[in-house]
């Protein structure tokens, strides 16, 4: 096993995240290896999204320590992270290509590479990069695909997806699940928060169960690489 494969991508030690008197995370501890597809499950309020946002550096632990991609300060890892929030976070008045061109500037993608990277990301999620319709006129399934394209745009080492199959038809959800598995097969580490574990049952390396802000079970699966 190579050093890259053996070094954990995410290491959490005693993470506590409080919002006032409410603790969304209550002592989360664990190591997560590179090149794996982790599916995070649990009821509403279990802490799934808060954990994902903490890994992404969008939420900061009240107590505890986390390192991501070897960095103790997550800001240093952000250029290597792709994050898909539950809301699409797209600009409704822009087309898909316009959205991705804008985000490519935020990622610092060289101007000479922007159009190719945007087109590749949109093609990867099986949308048309030449569609000039504003994203606000997209169906929910198309919006989810475009949001996934945005998360893939910077070719991240770590991909964090929050409810990617929400309000998506069965065929589109199945196609997106394959895309997520293919990202893992290319060596990316993927975390998916979902209420639809069946979509990833054939592909996941591990199911992580959360309850009341804690990880209560981690189960390796028979899915993984196909």
């Amino acid at each position: 096993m190579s050093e890259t494969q053996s070094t954990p991508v995410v290491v959490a030690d005693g993470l506590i995240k409080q919002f006032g008197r409410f603790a969304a995370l209550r002592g989360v501890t664990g190591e997560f290896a590179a090149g794996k597809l982790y599916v995070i499950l649990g009821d509403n309020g279990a802490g799934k999204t808060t954990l994902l946002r903490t890994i992404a550096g969008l939420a900061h632990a009240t107590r505890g320590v986390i390192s991501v991609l070897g960095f103790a300060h997550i800001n240093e890892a952000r250029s290597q992270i792709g994050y898909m929030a539950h809301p699409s976070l797209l600009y409704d008045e822009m087309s898909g290509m316009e959205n991705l061109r804008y985000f490519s500037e935020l990622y610092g993608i060289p101007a000479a590479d922007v159009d190719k990277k945007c087109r590749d990301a949109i093609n990867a999620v099986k949308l048309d990069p030449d569609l000039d319709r504003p994203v606000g006129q997209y169906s929910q399934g198309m919006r989810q695909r475009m949001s996934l394209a945005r998360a893939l745009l910077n070719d991240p080492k770590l991909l964090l997806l929050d409810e990617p199959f929400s309000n998506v038809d069965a065929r589109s959800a199945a196609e997106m699940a394959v895309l997520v598995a293919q990202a893992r097969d290319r060596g990316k580490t993927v975390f998916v928060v979902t209420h639809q574990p069946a979509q990833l049952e054939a592909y996941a390396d591990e199911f992580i169960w959360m309850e009341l802000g804690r990880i209560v079970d981690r189960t390796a699966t028979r899915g993984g690489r196909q």
Side-chain angles (χ1 to χ4, degrees):
M1 180 179 292
S2 71
E3 182 180 351
T4 300
Q5 291 173 316
S6 62
T7 302
V9 168
V10 176
V11 180
D13 184 8
L15 294 182
I16 294 173
K17 176 60 179 177
Q18 289 182 274
F19 296 96
R21 295 184 178 180
F22 173 71
L25 299 179
R26 306 183 184 195
V28 171
T29 295
E31 295 188 355
F32 304 91
K36 301 289 185 182
L37 171 51
Y38 297 99
V39 180
I40 306 176
L41 306 171
D43 294 335
N44 290 336
K48 306 181 301 297
T49 292
T50 301
L51 177 58
L52 205 70
R53 286 176 57 81
T54 302
I55 296 171
L58 300 174
H60 301 286
T62 307
R63 279 182 281 171
V65 177
I66 184 169
S67 68
V68 176
L69 295 167
F71 296 101
H73 300 288
I74 299 176
N75 282 344
E76 299 177 66
R78 279 186 174 168
S79 65
Q80 302 174 56
I81 297 173
Y83 178 72
M84 177 180 175
H86 193 185
S88 68
L89 302 182
L90 299 168
Y91 290 94
D92 285 350
E93 69 278 10
M94 296 181 180
S95 69
M97 278 292 289
E98 288 170 339
N99 264 277
L100 294 199
R101 286 189 186 114
Y102 171 75
F103 286 109
S104 70
E105 292 182 18
L106 300 183
Y107 285 131
I109 294 172
D113 299 334
V114 166
D115 266 25
K116 182 179 187 306
K117 283 187 174 291
C118 291
R119 286 182 171 276
D120 287 349
I122 294 173
N123 283 323
V125 299
K126 298 187 177 180
L127 291 177
D128 182 1
D130 292 319
L131 183 65
D132 60 5
R133 184 194 313 170
V135 167
Q137 297 178 15
Y138 281 15
S139 69
Q140 179 62 24
M142 292 172 69
R143 290 175 68 87
Q144 289 294 90
R145 286 172 182 263
M146 187 57 66
S147 186
L148 178 57
R150 180 178 56 79
L152 293 169
L153 181 61
N154 60 327
D155 192 25
K157 292 182 179 179
L158 178 60
L159 189 58
L160 308 171
L161 310 177
D162 193 356
E163 297 291 355
F165 312 120
S166 178
N167 299 315
V168 174
D169 64 83
R171 178 179 176 179
S172 293
E175 290 175 346
M176 289 176 70
V178 170
L179 290 172
V180 170
Q182 289 172 341
R184 182 275 317 278
D185 292 345
R186 293 195 301 274
K188 302 182 188 305
T189 306
V190 186
F191 288 79
V192 181
V193 167
T194 183
H195 284 97
Q196 302 176 56
Q199 296 291 352
L200 292 169
E201 189 171 4
Y203 310 111
D205 293 292
E206 187 174 315
F207 285 113
I208 300 168
W209 291 88
M210 294 190 70
E211 184 177 313
L212 298 175
R214 298 181 177 90
I215 292 177
V216 296
D217 187 56
R218 294 180 61 171
T219 304
T221 74
R222 295 182 179 180
R225 287 164 177 75
Q226 300 299 295

